[in-house]
Amino acid sequence: MPAHNPEFIEQCASFTDLFLQLGLPGEPQQIADFITQHRPLPDTVLLPDAPFWSTAQAQFLREQRQADEPPFNMLIDQLSEALRD
């Protein structure tokens, strides 16, 4: 089941948590809509460098990647993959 499918997102409450931390709507359909709206993200663009993030959102993504700790690292990778499919 693709990561941008609302049913997949609904099964993964932590994905909702990531979106809420980013200040975005956290309902499964809203997350799926966000991913659909911003796809495809070129492979040459790092996720935090995507043009659709605010400065604070991009900084949060960078800090989480640098911290290299759960829970958000895996979810950030999944979001990046979903935006590139």
Side-chain angles (χ1 to χ4, degrees):
M1 183 176 312
H4 59 278
N5 183 305
E7 289 81 23
F8 170 83
I9 294 165
E10 193 168 2
Q11 293 172 9
C12 186
S14 296
F15 215 61
T16 296
D17 294 338
L18 174 61
F19 269 70
L20 294 175
Q21 284 292 320
L22 289 166
L24 298 170
E27 294 298 318
Q29 186 59 54
Q30 293 169 312
I31 294 170
D33 291 346
F34 176 91
I35 292 169
T36 299
Q37 178 183 357
H38 296 291
R39 292 177 70 210
L41 183 63
D43 288 337
T44 57
V45 177
L46 296 174
L47 183 63
D49 296 336
F52 45 82
W53 300 123
S54 70
T55 302
Q57 290 168 327
Q59 184 63 28
F60 172 79
L61 292 169
R62 283 188 191 93
E63 288 172 358
Q64 291 303 311
R65 293 302 294 151
Q66 289 176 350
D68 196 30
E69 296 177 6
F72 291 120
N73 263 347
M74 183 175 62
L75 297 168
I76 290 169
D77 288 344
Q78 289 173 348
L79 176 58
S80 181
E81 182 179 322
L83 286 165
R84 295 172 201 283
D85 281 346

